[in-house]
Amino acid sequence: MSLSHAYGHPPDPATAANVLLKALDLGYNFFDTAAQYGFGANETLLGQVLKHRRRDIVLASKAGMFKNAQGVREVDARPELLKSTCDDALIRLQTDVIDLYYLHRWDKRVPVEDSIGALSDLVKEGKVRTIGISEVSVETLKKAHRVHPIAALQTEYSLWTRDAEIAVLDACKNMGIAFVAFSPLARGFLSGVVRDVAALPAKDIRLAMPRFQGEHFQKNLKLLDGFAAIARENDCTMAQLALAWLLAKAPHIIPIPGTTRLDHLAENACAVEVRLLPDAMARTDALINARTVSGPRYNAATLPEIDTEGS
């Protein structure tokens, strides 16, 4: 996502392409995009850069969030729109099939069974191999799963966003569904790099998120020194500790950190090599959790789009 929008001005196409190609060299093989990322620009980028390595990767995309006639992001999961979005995505991605296609958000005006039914039709037509769903509760997940087997559920999960632990993380385990954790570094916060929100670009989406605002941000900053100390004791960076914590949580969790930088890309890749000390998980859990993090993860305008427990 960050290669096309969200965190200020995205990198130029050549730089973005280098990040994707270096990811392949480092062993990354799961690439996650969406029609909404750059409103098609991200799918186009992946199609142009990765088409010659298509057999080497698992390609995931999403439908259900769009730019409306007023140029504003909108959740819209009408079956006919999901299908036309997939057709457009196949063209942009320069492929004949998408390995994993998510319902990006549940449109609460449309029964989730209808939206998943449309994605199921895409599987039957050979345009999509498997179906996923994003940011939903266990109840909604089960409704979707009854229509068509759900291969993956994607939602935000990190040390500072623990809503998944209420129910859906265990539900995925019990149902044999992969749990894809987006923003595993808490939108960069857990890397320790973001210490001054005034330095963020004007269009950075974090500026609209309560945890990066005012008193909430100042309280959250106080967590970082202790986190950095635990990382040093485990001979890793803060970002690697955050990812290693997720990887140690459960085998069905797949973190998908995003970046625009080659150094961060390599740093994140090395998280799989981190061997945590026996007390690292407990200490990290005690330091950063739902009780110690200040502020909701989304603002009041965005919360209605979300169906997860705890949000």
Side-chain angles (χ1 to χ4, degrees), residues 103 106-120 131-133 136-151 153 168 171 175 177 307 309:
L103 179 64
W106 172 37
D107 180 351
K108 296 172 185 178
R109 302 166 299 180
V110 180
V112 70
E113 294 90 342
D114 292 354
S115 298
I116 295 300
L119 300 187
S120 180
I131 292 174
I133 194 167
V136 298
S137 64
V138 171
E139 180 183 0
T140 304
L141 173 63
K142 288 181 176 179
K143 288 180 180 178
H145 196 62
R146 283 194 288 267
V147 175
H148 188 99
I150 300 297
L153 177 138
V168 79
M175 297 167 70
I177 296 171
D307 177 52
E309 290 88 358

Side-chain angles (χ1 to χ4, degrees), residues 1 3 10 45 49-50 86 90 130 132 144 152 236 247 270 281 287 295:
M1 180 174 75
L3 293 177
L45 171 68
V49 176
L50 301 179
C86 180
L90 290 169
T130 60
C236 64
L247 292 169
C270 290
M281 291 293 288
L287 177 66

Side-chain angles (χ1 to χ4, degrees), residues 40-271:
N42 198 249
E43 288 181 329
T44 298
L45 171 68
L46 266 64
Q48 292 171 342
V49 176
L50 301 179
K51 61 183 177 182
H52 300 301
R53 300 285 300 274
R54 181 65 184 87
R55 294 183 179 180
D56 300 330
I57 66 172
V58 175
L59 183 60
S61 192
K62 313 177 195 72
M65 296 181 74
F66 306 92
K67 182 189 291 186
N68 63 22
Q70 290 72 43
V72 178
R73 188 185 74 173
E74 179 181 350
V75 175
D76 191 337
R78 289 173 291 165
E80 64 273 19
L81 192 54
L82 296 176
K83 290 182 177 182
S84 64
T85 300
C86 180
D87 289 338
D88 293 340
L90 290 169
I91 295 170
R92 289 191 292 261
L93 290 166
Q94 300 190 43
T95 187
D96 57 358
V97 63
I98 298 170
D99 298 311
L100 172 61
Y101 205 49
Y102 291 95
L103 179 64
H104 203 161
R105 293 289 186 273
W106 172 37
D107 180 351
K108 296 172 185 178
R109 302 166 299 180
V110 180
V112 70
E113 294 90 342
D114 292 354
S115 298
I116 295 300
L119 300 187
S120 180
D121 289 343
L122 294 172
V123 174
K124 295 172 185 174
E125 294 167 12
K127 297 176 180 179
V128 169
R129 289 198 172 100
T130 60
I131 292 174
I133 194 167
S134 181
E135 292 278 62
V136 298
S137 64
V138 171
E139 180 183 0
T140 304
L141 173 63
K142 288 181 176 179
K143 288 180 180 178
H145 196 62
R146 283 194 288 267
V147 175
H148 188 99
I150 300 297
L153 177 138
Q154 183 172 147
T155 197
E156 183 173 356
Y157 186 40
S158 70
L159 278 160
W160 88 339
T161 297
R162 305 290 198 96
D163 295 348
E165 295 176 359
I166 298 172
V168 79
L169 186 61
D170 285 341
C172 285
K173 178 182 177 181
N174 295 334
M175 297 167 70
I177 296 171
F179 183 96
V180 179
F182 78 78
S183 295
L185 300 180
R187 303 186 185 276
F189 182 79
L190 293 175
S191 69
V193 174
V194 184
R195 300 273 183 165
D196 181 8
V197 291
L200 297 177
K203 293 185 177 181
D204 195 304
I205 62 173
R206 289 171 289 190
L207 294 173
M209 295 178 173
R211 292 178 181 176
F212 289 92
Q213 297 173 339
E215 186 177 342
H216 290 312
F217 185 66
Q218 294 307 314
K219 288 181 178 179
N220 292 330
L221 280 177
K222 296 177 182 179
L223 301 171
L224 291 181
D225 287 345
F227 189 60
I230 297 173
R232 286 193 299 271
E233 293 170 16
N234 284 270
D235 295 321
C236 64
T237 67
M238 295 167 70
Q240 289 168 345
L241 176 58
L243 293 171
W245 176 87
L246 269 176
L247 292 169
K249 273 289 185 180
H252 69 298
I253 297 174
I254 304 171
I256 50 169
T259 187
T260 61
R261 291 174 44 173
L262 294 176
D263 56 341
H264 289 170
L265 187 74
E267 177 185 353
N268 294 341
C270 290

